[in-house]
Amino acid sequence: MGHLWPPDWLPVQPDFYDRQRELEDLKRLTKISYKPVIIHGMGGIGKAELLKEFARIENNHRPVYPFPARQILIKYDQLALSIGMRELLKHSLANKEDYSQIWREAKLEKRAQLSREWLENLDDTLIIVDDVDSVEATLINQFLPRRARCLVLSTRNPDFIARNESSPYLLSPMQPKAAKEFLSKELRLLECPYSEDELANLAELLGNHLLAIAQAVRWISDHLLLVSRGTPTSNLINILTGSKHAERLGFLNKNSYYPRTSVSIMNKFREWILRLPEPASTDDSLIDFCSLIGFLDVKHSEFDFRHFLEFRSPELKAENEREAFPDYDLFTLDDDGLISKLKTLQNASMWTIDDSQMFAPRRLHIIWKECIRQDVGAEGRLRFVKQILRICHTMTVRDQVVRPGAHTEDWLPWVDGCLDVIEQFAIPLDSLKFPGDAMDYVQIHQSTRRSVLTFCVNCKTARNLILPGRVEDVEAQRMRTSARGLRQSFLALRAHLVEGYFPGQEGARIHAALDSIKLLASASHLEEESTLEEELTIAQERIAAAREGIPKP
């Protein structure tokens, strides 16, 4: 049995979910070298909980000394009193002196330094320092027991200690299965009804983020008595996916019961913002750059915000464009400025990727993205959306001049992303105040988007009817009704295909639905089956032609 100090660092806590692989990795990393292990990741992801579980397990095998970084001086002083001055000073004094006098004359910082030196001389002992970002760098650098044989830190900065002198370890969100288990157990305790699909959907919408999932349980618990339709879980899903942005903000601001330090997601986000380095000037705001990324982050896996910034155009860099673009300096950053900001944000764990994924798209966590969009307020949301859509329209017009008649899709992911914001935050289109051609551009894409979404929803409905594999009288009637609705939405979609405004990124979803449509048409004995087949063939040809840049006949 080991020795845990301080003993109150591990109070009784809820079950620990799905970090077995991470616990095994930590054990391996602390055995293979004397390098400090740096656990890094976004706020609320579960770094402190992982460390506490690791300390609980390791305490069965060796002494464990865990310290919250923000209390490190106080805890060192308490440790000194617990150990005793003779034991503490024996590593620091070469000859016999008056221990009592030295101790009485030592100030808090001196006693803390002696505690640090004592820790650094221990063998086969685990030392944990949690949340080193919470204190000033000069303080933590002075009192961190860097020479300890087994030191584990938690931080949001993977480069807190040079990589050749440490072992960085990225903590990612929970696995979907574990997130569902967490929700399932807590909702059963609340006697709250739910379905497996609801749990999977909710966990995905929260990005399998530990604190967000805990807050979801708290929200559901508080709303059990208020639900008159559906379930609390389905109501929360509707809030997270709909246009009730004020209710989403209320969810983000709600304090959680777990982890034990009651804190909200929005507080975690703002704490992260406050820990970012101070900008060199008002024109060099890292916070504004973070906000811009929050609006350039798109859902299509092959794109990230860097693709948008790569399209920096001479037309947009003209000085006369400054009035049209309040964030002109951000949109026209040169490579050096961009690299500097990206490096700083990477060192703050803005993205949940490690060194093995250096060439993967940079993705904001869905929770951080929502926090950014909420935090800038209505005026900030409109400001960023207007600028991004204006750039998309300007560059699309330029591309059509360069390649007359071609169908360009380069800008569609960001048009789609801005339309997401417009819908999720109930922004009126007329508030954009664009000139006619630019407004037409936005409205056409919005109309196309709605047709695509309606079509895909109907596809999902149709497929759910087919999957059970039985066609009874009632089911057959439902399938025929679904098929007719599906065909109507498809014809509306084809109207946009004819106009050439089809968003190519949705093409894969459309193609994936085609087999379901054909199966539905066959299973429900749809009278217009042959007509539907012809429509599908035409659509496939037009999608292929648009992707190859072939002008429509």
Side-chain angles (χ1 to χ4, degrees):
M1 177 66 70
H3 167 74
L4 179 70
W5 190 97
D8 62 346
W9 198 69
L10 290 179
V12 177
Q13 64 180 34
D15 291 343
F16 190 76
Y17 293 92
D18 184 52
R19 292 296 191 186
Q20 191 58 42
R21 178 177 61 83
E22 288 85 349
L23 291 168
E24 292 174 358
D25 288 344
L26 281 182
K27 189 172 185 66
R28 175 179 55 81
L29 288 171
T30 56
K31 292 291 185 183
I32 60 176
S33 74
Y34 288 160
K35 290 182 179 180
V37 177
I38 299 180
I39 302 175
H40 61 98
M42 68 180 291
I45 205 81
K47 299 184 293 295
E49 297 304 304
L50 176 67
L51 284 179
K52 289 175 180 179
E53 183 67 11
F54 186 55
R56 184 188 296 278
I57 293 172
E58 289 300 296
N59 188 45
N60 294 322
H61 310 290
R62 53 180 168 172
V64 178
Y65 292 89
F67 301 95
R70 68 179 70 226
Q71 299 175 352
I72 195 165
L73 287 181
I74 296 173
K75 294 299 181 183
Y76 273 177
D77 202 36
Q78 293 173 355
L79 175 64
L81 294 173
S82 173
I83 296 168
M85 55 186 175
R86 185 176 297 275
E87 173 68 19
L88 194 66
L89 292 171
K90 71 178 184 180
H91 294 291
S92 303
L93 301 178
N95 48 42
K96 293 183 179 180
E97 298 185 36
D98 187 342
Y99 294 107
S100 300
Q101 182 178 353
I102 293 173
W103 188 253
R104 284 194 302 269
E105 293 175 354
K107 296 182 179 179
L108 175 61
E109 289 78 6
K110 177 61 177 178
R111 297 197 299 271
Q113 181 182 345
L114 292 171
S115 296
R116 187 208 69 200
E117 293 172 356
W118 182 83
L119 289 168
E120 289 177 333
N121 283 281
L122 295 178
D123 292 323
D124 195 27
T125 299
L126 173 63
I127 302 171
I128 294 173
V129 183
D130 180 37
D131 195 16
V132 296
D133 309 316
S134 62
V135 296
E136 293 182 3
T138 52
L139 179 66
I140 196 65
N141 286 330
Q142 181 180 357
F143 294 105
L144 190 68
R146 290 173 181 263
R147 295 198 298 271
R149 289 169 174 76
C150 187
L151 173 63
V152 181
L153 316 174
S154 74
T155 174
R156 298 177 194 181
N157 181 6
D159 291 331
F160 179 79
I161 297 177
R163 298 198 174 210
N164 62 337
E165 300 175 3
S166 64
S167 300
Y169 186 84
L170 172 67
L171 187 63
S172 299
M174 300 170 72
Q175 292 297 316
K177 180 180 178 182
K180 282 182 60 179
E181 289 176 356
F182 188 123
L183 286 168
S184 176
K185 179 172 181 177
E186 298 296 333
L187 295 185
R188 283 200 304 271
L189 292 175
L190 295 173
E191 298 183 355
C192 175
Y194 63 85
S195 70
E196 291 299 317
D197 286 344
E198 284 177 345
L199 294 189
N201 194 5
L202 182 57
E204 182 179 0
L205 289 171
L206 298 173
N208 302 309
H209 185 277
L210 176 62
L211 181 58
I213 290 173
Q215 285 190 208
V217 173
R218 174 70 178 272
W219 188 96
I220 290 170
S221 174
D222 290 348
H223 288 74
L224 275 174
L225 298 177
L226 300 178
V227 175
S228 58
R229 294 183 180 180
T231 65
T233 308
S234 64
N235 284 9
L236 179 56
I237 289 171
N238 289 337
I239 289 173
L240 295 175
T241 57
S243 59
K244 296 180 178 180
H245 56 93
E247 294 190 33
R248 290 203 304 276
L249 180 58
F251 169 76
L252 295 174
N253 280 323
K254 180 177 287 294
N255 285 351
S256 170
Y257 71 94
Y258 176 87
R260 287 162 302 286
T261 52
S262 180
V263 66
S264 71
I265 296 172
M266 189 58 82
N267 282 343
K268 275 288 183 183
F269 169 74
R270 288 172 179 154
E271 178 185 87
W272 174 78
I273 288 290
L274 289 173
R275 292 182 184 181
L276 290 174
E278 290 290 334
S281 70
T282 55
D283 295 330
D284 189 30
S285 173
L286 193 62
I287 295 175
D288 286 344
F289 185 67
C290 291
S291 300
L292 174 60
I293 292 175
F295 288 85
L296 290 179
D297 190 84
V298 292
K299 59 190 176 184
H300 305 292
S301 60
E302 66 269 33
F303 291 95
D304 68 24
F305 66 91
R306 295 173 300 175
H307 291 83
F308 186 94
L309 297 175
E310 283 175 1
F311 289 123
R312 296 189 296 270
S313 164
E315 293 95 325
L316 296 178
K317 288 190 175 183
E319 284 296 319
N320 59 5
E321 293 290 350
R322 280 188 176 272
E323 292 185 7
F325 294 96
D327 297 292
Y328 175 90
D329 292 328
L330 293 178
F331 284 107
T332 56
L333 274 172
D334 60 20
D335 288 344
D336 289 340
L338 192 59
I339 290 170
S340 174
K341 283 181 167 53
L342 294 180
K343 180 65 175 175
T344 301
L345 294 178
Q346 180 173 307
N347 288 346
S349 290
M350 190 168 186
W351 303 284
T352 52
I353 61 170
D354 58 22
D355 290 343
S356 65
Q357 303 168 300
M358 287 301 291
F359 299 104
R362 294 297 193 270
R363 282 277 166 271
L364 278 181
H365 192 279
I366 189 171
I367 292 294
W368 253 213
K369 182 161 63 175
E370 178 68 21
C371 287
I372 288 173
R373 294 175 176 182
Q374 292 278 4
D375 205 45
V376 298
E379 183 179 337
R381 289 190 288 269
L382 182 59
R383 185 178 93 236
F384 282 112
V385 165
K386 285 179 67 174
Q387 292 177 98
I388 294 169
L389 285 175
R390 180 161 182 167
I391 290 173
C392 290
H393 174 250
T394 300
M395 301 303 288
T396 299
V397 170
R398 187 205 66 170
D399 291 346
Q400 289 174 346
V401 171
V402 174
R403 295 192 302 160
H407 183 80
T408 176
E409 299 175 353
D410 289 339
W411 302 96
L412 289 172
W414 293 284
V415 175
D416 195 42
C418 286
L419 291 175
D420 271 339
V421 177
I422 287 171
E423 292 177 4
Q424 291 167 1
F425 290 88
I427 300 174
L429 273 187
D430 56 9
S431 64
L432 297 175
K433 297 180 180 179
F434 283 159
D437 56 341
M439 184 59 78
D440 289 344
Y441 173 81
V442 175
Q443 288 176 333
I444 286 169
H445 281 295
Q446 186 184 54
S447 180
T448 304
R449 169 192 173 90
R450 287 173 177 168
S451 295
V452 170
L453 291 176
T454 303
F455 177 69
C456 291
V457 166
N458 282 329
C459 284
K460 184 177 181 180
T461 303
R463 188 165 185 79
N464 287 341
L465 289 171
I466 296 166
L467 288 177
R470 64 181 191 279
V471 184
E472 300 172 355
D473 291 342
V474 176
E475 291 296 322
Q477 180 61 40
R478 289 177 61 198
M479 291 173 71
R480 280 192 288 272
T481 303
S482 176
R484 294 179 196 282
L486 181 60
R487 184 170 185 275
Q488 289 175 0
S489 65
F490 180 80
L491 292 177
L493 175 63
R494 183 171 177 263
H496 293 294
L497 286 168
V498 172
E499 296 298 325
Y501 289 108
F502 182 69
Q505 281 67 38
E506 299 289 355
R509 293 175 65 188
I510 300 298
H511 281 299
L514 296 184
D515 289 339
S516 296
I517 300 168
K518 293 176 183 177
L519 179 59
L520 174 68
S522 173
S524 61
H525 307 290
L526 185 66
E527 295 175 1
E528 299 94 338
E529 178 181 345
S530 59
T531 305
L532 184 60
E533 290 283 353
E534 292 172 5
E535 298 283 1
L536 293 174
T537 302
I538 294 171
Q540 286 175 311
E541 291 174 353
R542 289 187 178 277
I543 292 170
R547 285 182 167 177
E548 295 172 6
I550 300 173
K552 303 187 303 295

